[in-house]
Amino acid sequence: MESPLHKEKLNETFKKADLNGSGKLTFSQIKCLMKTLIVNNKYIDFKDASFDLVCKMADLNGDKLIDYEELYNLLHGDKLEEEDFVKIAFRAYDTNSDGYIDMKELEEVLKLSGKDYDPDEIKLAIAVFDQNNEGNLNYNEFSDMVDGKIKRSSCWYLCFICCKK
């Protein structure tokens, strides 16, 4: 658990960065602020390529600005409901902000995460969860994918089960 002193320092640092007194910071202001913070005796250093992804994840209300509570939740948050995590993930994966996640966006996020992935599995996941056959996932379809809900009547379901064995 983080100390009240640390929370006070974070709030103080946030207020100093909030030059116009709006109570919100832009992503670039957050980046500057993050370079000054130390959490658990380590400087926070995000790579430029992944920084926007981190800001999108922190931006709970989607206004492209970060308020103090959103910053606090980013650094120490364990108060988020599961549905909030899905919303955050969807916004982060939807890198072009068009309201859909396509194969290219899934690949971008997986590359940033540094995890190995199989492009065929991404294609299959989209095919299985894409209810309206548009070749991408809207929020509800993405939520179903995260929750593991599969349209069992689909022939893709059988394909998905066979390929996972």
Side-chain angles (χ1 to χ4, degrees):
M1 181 168 205
E2 134 294 328
S3 72
L5 181 62
H6 184 270
K7 188 172 184 177
E8 185 177 312
K9 179 162 175 42
L10 178 63
N11 194 12
E12 185 180 306
T13 306
F14 184 90
K15 285 180 180 178
K16 284 181 187 175
D18 183 16
L19 301 177
N20 65 4
S22 68
K24 296 183 177 205
L25 301 178
T26 65
F27 288 1
S28 59
Q29 287 174 308
I30 288 290
K31 186 173 187 174
C32 291
L33 179 130
M34 296 299 260
K35 290 181 178 181
T36 67
L37 291 176
I38 299 176
V39 176
N40 297 329
N41 298 321
K42 294 181 182 179
Y43 285 99
I44 298 174
D45 183 27
F46 293 106
K47 305 285 184 241
D48 286 340
S50 61
F51 186 75
D52 282 343
L53 181 66
V54 170
C55 283
K56 280 184 170 186
M57 291 174 73
D59 184 17
L60 297 177
N61 63 9
D63 65 356
K64 297 189 182 350
L65 296 168
I66 308 292
D67 64 29
Y68 174 75
E69 286 301 316
E70 289 170 328
L71 178 63
Y72 182 82
N73 282 332
L74 172 66
L75 300 176
H76 304 287
D78 54 6
K79 302 181 217 172
L80 297 176
E81 299 295 324
E82 185 176 331
E83 184 177 331
D84 290 331
F85 282 114
V86 175
K87 286 178 186 175
I88 290 167
F90 183 82
R91 275 201 303 270
Y93 280 50
D94 182 16
T95 58
N96 66 6
S97 301
D98 67 353
Y100 298 93
I101 298 172
D102 60 28
M103 184 169 163
K104 181 181 174 194
E105 289 170 316
L106 282 175
E107 286 179 335
E108 286 175 17
V109 173
L110 290 169
K111 282 179 189 173
L112 284 174
S113 75
K115 295 185 179 182
D116 292 331
Y117 67 93
D118 181 350
D120 289 336
E121 286 184 12
I122 295 172
K123 286 179 193 173
L124 184 59
I126 290 176
V128 168
F129 292 98
D130 180 16
Q131 303 277 325
N132 53 12
N133 299 316
E134 293 179 341
N136 54 32
L137 302 176
N138 62 32
Y139 173 75
N140 291 330
E141 294 164 339
F142 178 78
S143 180
D144 287 348
M145 183 178 76
V146 170
D147 290 342
K149 297 175 185 171
I150 299 174
K151 190 168 66 176
R152 294 186 187 276
S153 62
S154 168
C155 66
W156 283 107
Y157 175 71
L158 294 173
C159 212
F160 183 77
I161 298 303
C162 292
C163 290
K164 284 301 188 185
K165 291 184 179 181

